[in-house]
Amino acid sequence: MSLFREAAKQIFRKPATVKYPFEPGIVPPGLRGRPVWDMEKCVLCVLCQNACPTAAIKMIPKGPDAGIEYHLDKCIFCAECADACPRKAITMTTNFELADTSRSNMVQHYKKPQKAQAQTQTQTQTQAAKAGT
Amino acid sequence: MSYGTTIKVPFGPQHPALKEPEYFLFEVDGDIVVKVTPRIGYVHRGVEKAFEQETYLHNLYLAERICGICSHAHSTCYTQTIEGLIPLEIPPRAVYIRLIMAELERLHSHSLWVGIAAHEAGFDTLFMYLWRDREMIMDLMEEISGNRVTHAINTIGGVRRDITSEQATKIKKFLEKFESNVKEYTKVLESEQTFIKRTKDVGVLKPRDAIVLCAVGPTLRASGIKSDVRADDPYLAYGEIPFNVITHDGCDVYARTIVRCEEMIESANIIRYALDHLPEGKIKVPPPRTIAPNESVGRVEAPRGELIHYARSNGTNKPERYKVRAPTLGNLASVCQTLIGAHVADIPLILAGIDPCFSCMDRVIITKKSV
Ligand code: SF4
Ligand code: SF4
């Protein structure tokens, strides 16, 4: 009998299902979505690469390409990288619409800004570089 | 009536009535099952070997992915086992948060199962209502932990996220509604003739058989045996929280449904108690990176029954051996027994009755030269 009452009530209620692709999907603020890197803060310390359980992060330590290579297709959104980062350079966004048709779009390269890179290099390295020039 | 000869009916590994790949060979005499031969190993994923290749921290995420429904049970069991290896005491607040998540998980797993049982018995209305309510639990868990399924809230040495007071109020408000709904559904199940006719005296597992065949969890409790890891070998904070171990003497699929419904009410009480007695303080302590040679076993009452993890360390940052015994393996022998004498049409319902999770269970793969 009560199920009947419930069914009758439901006629006047909003459907329980969310019409997702046509309506925005509502997610709570703490959702662990895609991680993003703030390369101004990053010091290329490799801790996030070590913390990542699925090897979704590849750090390129030197050269013009120095920075972080992030593989979205391997990421399991565990936020271990964000927890491990000593500079809080990684934030977990609430972005969950991450599908793509091409695998190559799944790799994002965060380049370290060249100026900042020089600043954050260790003393010895800068000295060695100076001595070299 | 017997036909004298039997026919072999293969069931699975791909079968519309079975959601997971598992194979059963039924020998039927007319409409009655006379022999059951299970064959497991179709979803062997090499999890145990993978555990040996990764560090303790990385393995946490592997443990969580053994099962999609009881992911928190596996990660709790994993952390418990590893904390036993170190050994490491975790802060009381972390203990309570793990427990609250575990009970929320039980709520969603049981409502999922009762929904499926209703669906298998042809009662789709109830299935829809239960799954609608289940979605609210998933949303709550998502809000607390950051993900619907793989919560990743546990870490070795505690938990990664705290439960805020707003979240606690939200959980309590939800529990009130959910509890009254579940009571309503239980009443419906107890009085709905179609459901009773479909489930009463179907898949009978006698108490003695249940013990001999090592049944676990709600399947065992529905055979009248009072056994629950939470009460028998209290882990987390279960020793401090008053709760009843639900049993039923029916021994059939109906009893399994009622046991799960009542366990949901009990879980709601446990969560409420835990939220009221949530200790203050830290939520995690830093674990060491390497673990000295040791051995440890973790036992957890997952929604489907007793879950056992075993680990052996060797002084490095990776385990030397890791073993997982999922509850479905414990229930498999008993379900084969209960299927004997059943009607062919009842097979899906009886199989669903143990809440099988074959993918969590497969640890070996048997290859024979000649079949
Ligand atoms: S969220 Fe997890 S899987 Fe993804 S990059 Fe960070 S550590 Fe790796
Ligand atoms: S842990 Fe942080 S600072 Fe270190 S490399 Fe990763 S993002 Fe950069």
Side-chain angles (χ1 to χ4, degrees), chain A residues 52-54 56-57 70 75-81 92:
Chain A
C52 180
T54 55
I57 305 170
Y70 166 65
C75 182
I76 54 170
F77 312 105
C78 64
E80 271 306 329
C81 52
M92 301 302 287

Short mmCIF file of all heavy atoms in Angstrom, two decimals, chain A residues 52-54 56-57 70 75-81 92, ligand 1:
data_model
loop_
_atom_site.label_atom_id
_atom_site.label_comp_id
_atom_site.label_asym_id
_atom_site.label_seq_id
_atom_site.Cartn_x
_atom_site.Cartn_y
_atom_site.Cartn_z
N CYS A 52 52.87 8.67 -7.50
CA CYS A 52 51.78 8.25 -8.37
C CYS A 52 51.74 6.72 -8.52
O CYS A 52 52.70 6.12 -8.97
CB CYS A 52 51.95 8.90 -9.74
SG CYS A 52 50.64 8.43 -10.85
N PRO A 53 50.62 6.09 -8.15
CA PRO A 53 50.57 4.62 -8.21
C PRO A 53 50.51 4.07 -9.64
O PRO A 53 50.82 2.91 -9.86
CB PRO A 53 49.31 4.26 -7.44
CG PRO A 53 48.54 5.50 -7.28
CD PRO A 53 49.43 6.66 -7.54
N THR A 54 50.11 4.88 -10.60
CA THR A 54 49.92 4.35 -11.94
C THR A 54 50.92 4.90 -12.95
O THR A 54 50.75 4.72 -14.15
CB THR A 54 48.51 4.68 -12.45
OG1 THR A 54 48.34 6.09 -12.37
CG2 THR A 54 47.44 4.00 -11.64
N ALA A 56 51.42 7.90 -13.94
CA ALA A 56 50.77 8.85 -14.85
C ALA A 56 51.56 10.14 -14.97
O ALA A 56 51.25 10.98 -15.79
CB ALA A 56 49.35 9.15 -14.37
N ILE A 57 52.56 10.29 -14.12
CA ILE A 57 53.35 11.53 -14.13
C ILE A 57 54.77 11.21 -14.54
O ILE A 57 55.37 10.27 -14.03
CB ILE A 57 53.36 12.18 -12.72
CG1 ILE A 57 51.94 12.41 -12.22
CG2 ILE A 57 54.15 13.48 -12.74
CD1 ILE A 57 51.86 12.82 -10.77
N TYR A 70 51.93 14.87 -17.98
CA TYR A 70 50.83 14.25 -17.24
C TYR A 70 50.00 13.41 -18.21
O TYR A 70 49.56 13.89 -19.24
CB TYR A 70 49.97 15.34 -16.59
CG TYR A 70 48.63 14.86 -16.10
CD1 TYR A 70 48.56 13.94 -15.06
CD2 TYR A 70 47.45 15.32 -16.67
CE1 TYR A 70 47.33 13.48 -14.61
CE2 TYR A 70 46.22 14.87 -16.23
CZ TYR A 70 46.16 13.95 -15.19
OH TYR A 70 44.96 13.50 -14.75
N CYS A 75 45.77 8.17 -15.27
CA CYS A 75 45.46 8.72 -13.95
C CYS A 75 44.21 8.07 -13.36
O CYS A 75 43.23 7.83 -14.05
CB CYS A 75 45.25 10.22 -14.09
SG CYS A 75 44.92 11.04 -12.55
N ILE A 76 44.29 7.76 -12.07
CA ILE A 76 43.12 7.20 -11.39
C ILE A 76 42.52 8.20 -10.39
O ILE A 76 41.71 7.85 -9.56
CB ILE A 76 43.46 5.88 -10.68
CG1 ILE A 76 44.64 6.07 -9.74
CG2 ILE A 76 43.75 4.77 -11.69
CD1 ILE A 76 44.91 4.90 -8.83
N PHE A 77 42.97 9.42 -10.43
CA PHE A 77 42.41 10.51 -9.62
C PHE A 77 42.45 10.20 -8.12
O PHE A 77 41.46 10.35 -7.43
CB PHE A 77 40.99 10.86 -10.09
CG PHE A 77 40.92 11.00 -11.57
CD1 PHE A 77 40.34 10.03 -12.37
CD2 PHE A 77 41.52 12.09 -12.18
CE1 PHE A 77 40.34 10.15 -13.74
CE2 PHE A 77 41.51 12.22 -13.57
CZ PHE A 77 40.92 11.24 -14.35
N CYS A 78 43.60 9.75 -7.68
CA CYS A 78 43.71 9.37 -6.28
C CYS A 78 44.20 10.53 -5.42
O CYS A 78 44.13 10.48 -4.21
CB CYS A 78 44.66 8.19 -6.13
SG CYS A 78 46.34 8.59 -6.63
N ALA A 79 44.75 11.55 -6.05
CA ALA A 79 45.24 12.74 -5.34
C ALA A 79 46.50 12.48 -4.52
O ALA A 79 46.86 13.31 -3.69
CB ALA A 79 44.17 13.38 -4.48
N GLU A 80 47.16 11.35 -4.73
CA GLU A 80 48.42 11.12 -4.00
C GLU A 80 49.46 12.16 -4.40
O GLU A 80 50.25 12.59 -3.57
CB GLU A 80 48.96 9.72 -4.30
CG GLU A 80 48.49 8.61 -3.39
CD GLU A 80 48.71 8.83 -1.90
OE1 GLU A 80 49.66 9.50 -1.50
OE2 GLU A 80 47.89 8.31 -1.13
N CYS A 81 49.46 12.55 -5.68
CA CYS A 81 50.44 13.53 -6.14
C CYS A 81 50.24 14.87 -5.42
O CYS A 81 51.18 15.48 -4.95
CB CYS A 81 50.36 13.71 -7.65
SG CYS A 81 48.72 14.04 -8.27
N MET A 92 43.60 19.36 -7.21
CA MET A 92 42.63 18.47 -7.82
C MET A 92 41.41 19.32 -8.16
O MET A 92 40.76 19.85 -7.26
CB MET A 92 42.22 17.36 -6.85
CG MET A 92 43.36 16.49 -6.38
SD MET A 92 44.29 15.66 -7.67
CE MET A 92 43.17 14.39 -8.19
S1 SF4 C 1 45.83 11.75 -9.14
FE1 SF4 C 1 46.88 9.84 -8.61
S2 SF4 C 1 46.98 8.72 -10.54
FE2 SF4 C 1 46.50 10.83 -11.07
S3 SF4 C 1 48.47 11.77 -11.46
FE3 SF4 C 1 48.02 12.15 -9.30
S4 SF4 C 1 48.97 10.45 -8.20
FE4 SF4 C 1 48.89 9.87 -10.38
#
